[in-house]
Each structure stands twice: as C-alpha cells, then as structure tokens.
Amino acid sequence: MGIALTPVTMPYLSHTVRSLRDDPIPDETVRLVLTVGDDADLSSVAESVESLDGEVIRELQFERLLVEVAQTDLDEVCSLDGVSSIETDAVLGPT
C-alpha cells in the first residue's frame, strides 16, 4: 500500500522574481504583486507577509496584494500558502 501525497503547487513566478530569488541583493527591498488563490484569503496572506517583516502596501483588485519585502526573503515569500502568482510591481505601472 502506497502513501498518498498531497501535491504541492508552486506559484507562478515572473522572470524578474525568479532572478531576484536566485541572486538577492542584501539590504534591498522589492515590491511585489501577490495573487491569492481561490483556496486562501487576503488577510491570511497579508499576515504571513508581515510575519516576514514585510509590509502590505495595499489591497488591489482581483484578490491581489501589493507588498514590499526584503530581497533576501523572496524564498519564503515564494513558499507562502495560498499565493498563486508573484510578480514585481512593474505589472501595475507607476506605483
């Protein structure tokens, strides 16, 4: 009899986010747009960001959050439960 494993789905990461995660600049921050999946809520994702000493700048349309985090925390942000995609704030235009 085999062990049933729950598949872990990784969020979509934009090219820039993947690059910054692989080579973060210490003491630098990045603004990100986090899209929250259907199985999670904005407040729990916001609390998770704040637990990393990140800042929630504001809620956006379509179940998204604009956040600012240390580049060295990108691995943790990419592992947050409930996040379906992570992009830089460049997708919003000037913020």
Side-chain angles (χ1 to χ4, degrees), residues 27-71:
D27 301 320
E28 290 290 326
T29 61
V30 61
R31 282 190 171 196
L32 303 170
V33 175
L34 307 181
T35 302
V36 177
D38 294 335
D39 58 342
D41 62 54
L42 287 174
S43 62
S44 65
V45 173
E47 288 174 12
S48 296
V49 168
E50 291 169 347
S51 75
L52 298 172
D53 292 327
E55 179 184 359
V56 176
I57 306 298
R58 67 178 181 266
E59 290 184 18
L60 304 169
Q61 292 180 312
F62 312 115
E63 297 296 310
R64 300 181 305 163
L65 293 170
L66 176 62
V67 303
E68 187 168 352
V69 297
Q71 287 186 20

